[in-house]
Amino acid sequence: GSFRMLLGLLVMAFSPMVYVALGHYYSITRPMSDVKIWKLMERIHTASFVIGLVGPVFIASFVFARLNLMSKDAGESVEVDAWKMVISKVSVP
């Protein structure tokens, strides 16, 4: 596995916990004024947006590195090696 893939999946899996953490931090169970509610909603929206970007970015970087698009001299992938082996073993009569 890859650390980037793990990190991306963990961020995406635990992203709903942002609501719980911010709700607990700002004591959402207590009465609030309208201004405080708007500020809290803006912070929740911002945090959700950032976390919603971070997870897929980690996963995309994993996929990008896996496909060897970042550097061509990094060697060939396992799939390419497997296809080369299959092609070398197959003979046409």
Side-chain angles (χ1 to χ4, degrees), residues 1 4 39 41 43 45 49 56 64 67 71 77 86 88 90:
R4 285 180 285 199
K39 286 182 182 178
M41 292 306 294
R43 289 186 179 140
H45 177 70
F49 181 74
F64 200 63
L67 294 176
S71 63
S77 66
V86 168
S88 69
V90 174

Side-chain angles (χ1 to χ4, degrees), residues 3 15 25 30-31 46 48 51 56 58 64 66-67 75-76 81-82:
F3 184 69
S15 63
Y25 181 76
R30 295 184 182 162
T46 303
S48 297
I51 289 177
F58 277 118
F64 200 63
R66 182 72 179 113
L67 294 176
E76 294 185 2
D81 291 338

Side-chain angles (χ1 to χ4, degrees), residues 79-92:
E79 292 85 5
V80 173
D81 291 338
W83 279 111
K84 283 186 176 182
M85 183 191 73
V86 168
I87 290 171
S88 69
K89 300 290 181 183
V90 174
S91 62
V92 180

Side-chain angles (χ1 to χ4, degrees), residues 27-87:
S27 300
I28 202 164
T29 57
R30 295 184 182 162
M32 289 191 230
S33 67
D34 289 344
V35 174
K36 286 185 179 180
I37 291 172
W38 278 106
K39 286 182 182 178
L40 175 62
M41 292 306 294
E42 286 177 2
R43 289 186 179 140
I44 288 175
H45 177 70
T46 303
S48 297
F49 181 74
V50 169
I51 289 177
L53 287 178
V54 169
V57 164
F58 277 118
I59 293 173
S61 70
F62 164 76
V63 170
F64 200 63
R66 182 72 179 113
L67 294 176
N68 290 326
L69 295 176
M70 293 177 79
S71 63
K72 294 293 182 183
D73 60 347
E76 294 185 2
S77 66
V78 175
E79 292 85 5
V80 173
D81 291 338
W83 279 111
K84 283 186 176 182
M85 183 191 73
V86 168
I87 290 171

Side-chain angles (χ1 to χ4, degrees), residues 8-24 28 44-45 47-53 55-56:
L9 290 174
L10 284 174
V11 166
M12 289 178 68
F14 289 101
S15 63
M17 295 302 291
V18 170
Y19 300 110
V20 174
L22 288 175
H24 179 71
I28 202 164
I44 288 175
H45 177 70
S48 297
F49 181 74
V50 169
I51 289 177
L53 287 178

